[in-house]
Amino acid sequence: MNRKTADFANKKKKIVAVGPNPAWQKALVFKKIENGRVNRAIESLDSAAGKAVNLARASKVLGADPLIIQFAGGKTGRMLLDEIARDGLRHKSVRTRSETRTCVTCIDLKNDRTTELIQPSGKITHEELEEMHSAFDASIEKASFLAICGTYPPGVPANFYFKLASKAKKMGIPVFFDSSCPLDAKLLAMIDILKVNSEEVKLLAGKSSVLEAGRYLIRGKTPSILAVTDGGESALLFVGGREIEFKPPKIKTVNCIGAGDTVSGVFLCGLLDGVDACEAFGKGICAGTASCLNLKPALFDPSICESLFSEMKLKRTY
């Protein structure tokens, strides 16, 4: 049966965020980027990132107790773990032979444009994968939510997320899914909350419009909640027979990387607090918007989030 919003309430707010493909994130700010020329940054910031790290960082702002499960290797992996520790985030990290990838965010102030450069991930060994499963098995039992976040590196099999979600479901733990990895019918049946972007939902459903795709996916028993984002544009929530469109206020962004993960972390916090899904997602959207005011991903001021929420426009789409 589809879950009701109230079924997700859990005051412990222990989110287990599995993100096998974290990143050491370098943000470079330029007055203007000129292709084919030497471009000198005027500001820079290095930070731990990746979808699970960002989700955990955002949820911790609202008092959640997230646990990150991830791979980390090499010099960048050590820097990643040091930064996570400084942020006060709990983690179980499997050390790998391959070095953690580096992602570079290039922010062009003149053209108000952000370009993301992503290094290929190294291959995970069979032994490292088994250690990841052991870390997960030792952590999932006490979770309030399993959040499956992002892509997985080479060496991780296609059924990896299905195995994790199946274990969580057997324990009655709800599953949140935010990944561009292939999503088949077996895995979809394990998911309570699916978060995708506007292009992903159309591709997944084989439909030409976001509304048509959302209605097609939500008509079954799973997921019970479908959240569709579109960068800084309108977002859609499909839940309990409702279709709600959210139009966040426009702001001058500093760095939009991690905004979607901020939406996820705050959305889950709201659901765990027993807040209606519409309000929880709306505040997630506003927190994601507020996070764009900071150079470091997934940090936001809750008071700015509340202010943006009071300005947000909502409408039912039918």
Side-chain angles (χ1 to χ4, degrees):
M1 293 179 65
N2 284 357
R3 282 177 175 264
K4 297 178 182 178
T5 302
D7 291 342
F8 297 115
N10 187 319
K11 291 299 182 181
K12 292 181 180 179
K13 293 202 288 190
K14 291 185 177 296
I15 301 169
V16 171
V18 177
N21 217 4
W24 183 244
Q25 192 85 34
K26 301 180 74 70
L28 301 175
V29 182
F30 301 86
K31 288 183 178 179
K32 181 182 178 182
I33 294 178
E34 298 181 75
N35 292 335
R37 303 290 297 274
V38 174
N39 293 273
R40 301 185 187 280
I42 59 172
E43 187 179 359
S44 68
L45 178 73
D46 290 0
S47 62
K51 295 186 78 65
V53 172
N54 292 337
L55 183 153
R57 185 181 290 129
S59 67
K60 188 173 176 62
V61 172
L62 296 186
D65 182 23
L67 172 68
I68 304 162
I69 299 180
Q70 62 186 357
F71 295 112
K75 181 181 177 181
T76 49
R78 289 193 297 273
M79 293 190 297
L80 176 89
L81 299 185
D82 288 344
E83 177 72 7
I84 288 173
R86 284 191 290 271
D87 286 344
L89 297 172
R90 295 190 303 122
H91 67 93
K92 286 189 177 181
S93 299
V94 176
R95 300 309 303 269
T96 60
R97 297 176 193 173
S98 299
E99 187 161 24
T100 297
R101 63 180 177 160
T102 296
C103 295
V104 183
T105 305
C106 300
I107 301 169
D108 183 342
L109 297 178
K110 174 70 174 179
N111 297 302
D112 191 23
R113 185 168 56 197
T114 298
T115 301
E116 185 75 359
L117 308 175
I118 301 175
Q119 182 183 27
S121 300
K123 188 174 182 179
I124 300 301
T125 68
H126 175 74
E127 292 75 18
E128 292 162 354
L129 181 63
E130 288 302 304
E131 190 177 343
M132 169 68 80
H133 278 294
S134 296
F136 178 82
D137 291 346
S139 308
I140 191 59
E141 187 174 351
K142 296 180 180 179
S144 309
F145 244 112
L146 167 61
I148 294 176
C149 308
T151 58
Y152 44 74
V156 175
N159 67 349
F160 176 66
Y161 282 156
F162 174 76
K163 285 185 175 182
L164 302 189
S166 296
K167 289 177 181 178
K169 294 299 288 182
K170 287 177 182 178
M171 297 178 183
I173 297 164
V175 177
F176 172 88
F177 189 91
D178 180 11
S179 171
S180 59
C181 290
L183 184 58
D184 59 22
K186 284 177 59 180
L187 178 53
L188 187 63
M190 298 290 108
I191 296 169
D192 294 285
I193 302 174
L194 176 62
K195 177 179 171 288
V196 289
N197 64 37
S198 56
E199 292 304 313
E200 290 167 345
V201 74
K202 290 187 288 186
L203 183 64
L204 183 60
K207 304 294 182 181
S208 59
S209 77
V210 173
L211 270 177
E212 190 180 5
R215 288 168 181 168
Y216 176 81
L217 289 176
I218 205 68
R219 69 181 183 178
K221 293 182 179 180
T222 56
S224 56
I225 298 177
L226 173 64
V228 183
T229 57
D230 189 14
E233 303 303 317
S234 295
L236 283 167
L237 185 72
F238 299 81
V239 57
R242 294 177 292 168
E243 299 170 8
I244 306 101
E245 181 182 22
F246 300 77
K247 290 188 176 182
K250 296 294 183 181
I251 62 166
K252 178 68 174 177
T253 64
V254 174
N255 183 8
C256 60
I257 299 299
D261 309 323
T262 304
V263 174
S264 300
V266 173
F267 184 27
L268 291 186
C269 281
L271 293 175
L272 290 171
D273 280 334
V275 174
D276 178 76
C278 180
E279 180 180 343
F281 185 58
K283 288 190 174 179
I285 292 292
C286 291
T289 303
S291 75
C292 296
L293 298 172
N294 299 304
L295 194 55
K296 185 171 181 175
L299 280 182
F300 67 96
D301 183 334
S303 65
I304 294 177
C305 173
E306 291 294 337
S307 177
L308 292 172
F309 185 69
S310 67
E311 301 174 30
M312 175 176 275
K313 295 180 180 178
L314 283 71
K315 73 173 184 179
R316 294 183 74 121
T317 58
Y318 69 95

